[in-house]
Amino acid sequence: MATRASAYGFGSIALLLLLALAGSSSAQLSTSFYSSSCPNLNSTVKSVVQSAIATENRMGASIVRLFFHDCFVQGCDASLLLDDNVTASFQGEKTAAPNKDSVRGFDVIDDIKSAVEAVCPGIVSCADILAIAARDSVVIIFPHVLICSFLILLGAHTIGQARCTTFRAHIYNDGNIDGTFANTCKSGCPNTSGTGDNNLAPLDLQTPTLFDNNYYKNLVGKKGLLHSDQELFNGGATDSQVQSYVSSQSTFFTDFVKTMVKMGDITPLTGSKGEIRKNCRRIN
């Protein structure tokens, strides 16, 4: 069995695999790796995640998004958690255009890391902590076992909110949007840049805090909040797949878990190639 690591040393065994109760992956990752070395890991992480979501419902979606953004850049290595000032010349992912003032939840990961270090010092990697937190966020929001395509991953937009700057152009300039829905969004997002930029709107207006298939139903009704969302149902090749998830919520859940597992397995670097960071924001 092996932990996953990265160039900056963030061992990760992608315990998100527990979502599907899967066995070891092609990289010989193990869902039971910490059974002996940190037996209270799962309960420790879950307790902090539950508290964070109870304080702010949106936080569950934010943690899942952290996992997505981390894994899409050279695999799930917790590099997204690094601050820019870890070395004099280091510039990380936090301030990259898709992430700056957008990804959030770093303080929750810090709290989880502190709690885990208290019970298992120097044992659990930051990448595994992020993976477990993402898993628990989904399970807490929708407590069921929930493919490989961008369309499936965007289904996570069934929860969470977006800033006005991310959907302003869509609601004011695009034609493939329901007029009433657009007007509702405009009430909290003025057309003038710099005005209300940080105002929030739910990605799924119907059930913004429930993990369900209403995201896809919204797309069929031309009520996708983001331009990239609505493009999934806009007379193209993905229309039929959107319709399949509208027809069967269980199919969406099954496909979603497969995608999460596969994403958690992106280019794992195993063994002793990394380090267990004491602070997820810095290299040891």
Side-chain angles (χ1 to χ4, degrees):
M1 300 302 180
T3 56
R4 178 184 314 202
S6 81
Y8 279 100
F10 326 109
S12 169
I13 55 170
L15 285 177
L16 190 67
L17 291 172
L18 289 179
L19 267 172
L21 301 178
S24 59
S25 74
S26 58
Q28 295 183 316
L29 307 179
S30 171
T31 59
S32 59
F33 185 85
Y34 295 115
S35 295
S36 299
S37 59
C38 191
N40 295 322
L41 171 61
N42 286 309
S43 59
T44 300
V45 174
K46 185 175 183 180
S47 177
V48 179
V49 173
Q50 283 179 320
S51 178
I53 293 176
T55 301
E56 181 189 0
N57 282 337
R58 182 188 176 204
M59 189 54 66
S62 296
I63 293 174
V64 173
R65 188 162 181 258
L66 271 181
F67 180 73
F68 285 174
H69 281 233
D70 178 53
C71 293
F72 273 130
V73 181
Q74 297 182 334
C76 310
D77 55 9
S79 53
L80 180 62
L81 305 181
L82 286 169
D83 289 336
D84 281 351
N85 61 355
V86 292
T87 66
S89 60
F90 178 79
Q91 183 173 356
E93 300 170 39
K94 281 185 178 179
T95 53
N99 299 328
K100 183 175 174 59
D101 299 323
S102 177
V103 290
R104 59 196 296 275
F106 297 107
D107 291 344
V108 175
I109 301 302
D110 289 343
D111 291 343
I112 295 171
K113 179 63 174 176
S114 296
V116 171
E117 285 294 308
V119 295
C120 308
I123 298 296
V124 185
S125 71
C126 295
D128 280 342
I129 283 173
L130 181 53
I132 299 168
R135 175 203 67 188
D136 287 349
S137 294
V138 173
V139 171
I140 290 168
I141 294 168
F142 189 88
H144 291 277
V145 173
L146 297 175
I147 117 173
C148 301
S149 73
F150 190 54
L151 185 150
I152 303 297
L153 295 176
L154 280 180
H157 283 181
T158 184
I159 52 177
Q161 302 180 70
R163 296 166 63 233
C164 169
T165 54
T166 65
F167 59 84
R168 177 182 282 132
H170 178 51
I171 64 175
Y172 284 99
N173 303 328
D174 290 347
N176 59 340
I177 184 170
D178 176 81
T180 301
F181 173 69
N183 288 333
T184 298
C185 296
K186 289 175 182 177
S187 66
C189 183
N191 196 17
T192 305
S193 180
T195 305
D197 285 0
N198 292 320
N199 291 350
L200 300 173
L203 288 159
D204 170 9
L205 188 62
Q206 309 305 316
T207 52
T209 62
L210 293 178
F211 203 99
D212 55 25
N213 67 338
N214 273 333
Y215 166 78
Y216 297 104
K217 294 179 180 179
N218 293 336
L219 299 185
V220 173
K222 295 185 178 182
K223 296 178 181 179
L225 182 63
L226 307 182
H227 173 85
S228 56
D229 288 333
Q230 194 57 57
E231 284 299 299
L232 297 179
F233 192 84
N234 194 33
T238 56
D239 283 11
S240 60
Q241 193 170 359
V242 169
Q243 288 281 19
S244 73
Y245 295 141
V246 170
S247 300
S248 175
Q249 181 167 265
S250 62
T251 298
F252 165 52
F253 290 157
T254 298
D255 288 352
F256 187 82
V257 68
K258 291 178 182 177
T259 305
M260 290 286 280
V261 170
K262 289 186 177 182
M263 186 167 62
D265 281 346
I266 294 175
T267 60
L269 303 176
T270 60
S272 59
K273 297 177 182 178
E275 64 182 19
I276 304 300
R277 304 202 308 263
K278 296 183 182 301
N279 182 336
C280 292
R281 295 174 181 258
R282 306 189 62 82
I283 302 166
N284 290 345

